[in-house]
Amino acid sequence: MAALRWLTPRRRSATARSVLAGEASAEAARKSAQSAQDTSAPATGAEVEFPVHGDDRAAAFFDLDNTVMQGAAIFHFGRGLYKRKFFETRDLARFAWQQAYFRLAGLEDPEHMQDARDSALSIVKGHRVSELKSIGEEIYDEYMAERIWPGTRALAQAHLDAGQKVWLVTAAPVEIAQVIARRLGLTGALGTVAESVGGVYTGKLVGEPLHGPAKAEAVRALATAECLDLTRCAAYSDSHNDIPMLSLVGHPYAINPDSKLRKHARELEWRLRDYRTGRKAAKVGIPAAAGVGAVAGGTAAAIALHRRRR
């Protein structure tokens, strides 16, 4: 922690929480991956020059919301919990607004993400971790599976086909992220770690949400534990909030980028791919399989609230 001495107490505390969140997420990701069964999806058959086949010191890190999946995982999770009567209609209305805003704006707004996170923590407090994991499997089938971007999925598969590990890196709860990673045949997931005691959620977090700098800390910690060379790794994201993570690796990709990330990526000549509009990559080198099925799908944006029958 010597490197933190120059920081003010407030800044030191925030940085320390990011490090704690990153290390906690990396540890949770490794434990989950070590115990998971091999359920990799079938190969796409695409021949690509990148990633490099057989490079076991390289890996790929994918942001989840709006990069791998349309919309935000935590909002879809909220819909599933409402269906199971975890909370009331007024709370679903808030989730609906957050989801509509996210999909229409196409970027992460800190205020909305904070509200969604606080709502989720209060809802799961007192519930068992095993219960939420089981429900997460059902919610994936109900709301998430159809929202996976085929193009981004093909990029991840290219890394798997090359013999590399592929991790989701997201602010979503790590348990939900692990469900999505397993369903996609990925290695594992790094996500926000909610505190639990005796297998029961306390309503608190370990460190802070895995967002922005905390994502970079998590990737760095995992790379150290896995003996990876970050200059040979790739990272994918849609948000300028993930520039710290993207800047860590030798192969950064902007996927469905917001305006700030698009500008930053162009200035640094990072590769771009936008599956919302069918735009071609700004640089060569993206696997051709990534273009398969790249459509936005669905209508814009609010969650339909069904009227209750008495």
Side-chain angles (χ1 to χ4, degrees):
M1 299 296 288
L4 303 179
R5 288 177 184 168
W6 61 275
L7 299 172
T8 64
R10 180 179 229 173
R11 176 65 175 165
R12 183 186 304 124
S13 177
T15 303
R17 289 197 301 272
S18 291
V19 172
L20 176 60
E23 291 178 346
S25 183
E27 181 181 1
R30 292 194 74 220
K31 287 181 178 179
S32 175
Q34 287 169 359
S35 62
Q37 296 180 350
D38 183 11
T39 57
S40 298
T44 62
E47 294 182 4
V48 296
E49 295 181 1
F50 180 83
V52 178
H53 286 250
D55 187 355
D56 59 4
R57 294 200 64 199
F61 304 94
F62 283 79
D63 169 56
L64 175 59
D65 297 343
N66 217 33
T67 301
V68 171
M69 182 177 68
Q70 299 174 50
I74 194 170
F75 300 140
H76 298 310
F77 186 56
R79 294 174 68 191
L81 293 182
Y82 168 77
K83 179 180 178 180
R84 291 158 179 82
K85 303 186 184 303
F86 272 64
F87 54 91
E88 301 298 323
T89 305
R90 63 178 179 274
D91 298 306
L92 179 62
R94 184 169 68 252
F95 273 107
W97 159 242
Q98 292 163 341
Q99 170 67 358
Y101 179 92
F102 183 84
R103 293 188 63 185
L104 288 172
L107 51 81
E108 296 174 6
D109 180 89
E111 181 179 348
H112 288 271
M113 298 304 288
Q114 172 79 35
D115 189 22
R117 182 174 66 251
D118 291 345
S119 298
L121 284 173
S122 65
I123 289 167
V124 303
K125 181 179 179 180
H127 288 275
R128 299 198 66 81
V129 175
S130 58
E131 177 188 12
L132 269 293
K133 286 184 177 180
S134 177
I135 291 174
E137 297 281 354
E138 300 172 3
I139 292 175
Y140 177 83
D141 291 327
E142 293 169 3
Y143 300 115
M144 300 178 182
E146 66 182 7
R147 290 177 169 82
I148 301 299
W149 291 108
T152 312
R153 178 68 189 88
L155 286 170
Q157 188 62 48
H159 286 279
L160 293 171
D161 292 344
Q164 297 177 3
K165 293 183 177 180
V166 178
W167 306 85
L168 290 181
V169 188
T170 174
V174 67
E175 293 84 3
I176 303 306
Q178 289 168 352
V179 168
I180 298 171
R182 183 168 61 255
R183 290 301 192 91
L184 295 178
L186 309 183
T187 306
L190 299 92
T192 297
V193 179
E195 181 185 75
S196 62
V197 176
V200 177
Y201 289 112
T202 65
K204 300 178 181 179
L205 295 181
V206 177
E208 62 182 27
L210 204 70
H211 186 264
K215 279 191 178 182
E217 293 294 343
V219 168
R220 196 191 309 275
L222 186 62
T224 298
E226 295 278 310
C227 298
L228 300 173
D229 181 349
L230 286 172
T231 64
R232 288 145 71 173
C233 292
Y236 301 78
S237 179
D238 72 297
S239 174
H240 69 280
N241 294 313
D242 288 338
I243 288 176
M245 177 182 74
L246 294 169
S247 300
L248 277 181
V249 301
H251 302 279
Y253 290 74
I255 306 295
N256 304 328
D258 62 33
S259 59
K260 291 183 180 179
L261 177 58
R262 183 180 293 276
K263 178 181 179 182
H264 187 85
R266 283 175 171 166
E267 289 175 351
L268 297 184
E269 297 187 331
W270 290 354
R271 296 179 177 91
L272 292 97
R273 175 70 74 175
D274 197 326
Y275 298 116
R276 299 165 300 186
T277 62
R279 295 173 190 162
K280 294 184 178 180
K283 286 193 66 179
V284 297
I286 290 188
V292 179
V295 294
T299 58
I303 301 171
L305 299 178
H306 296 284
R307 293 182 179 179
R308 292 182 174 179
R309 291 183 178 179
R310 289 187 178 272

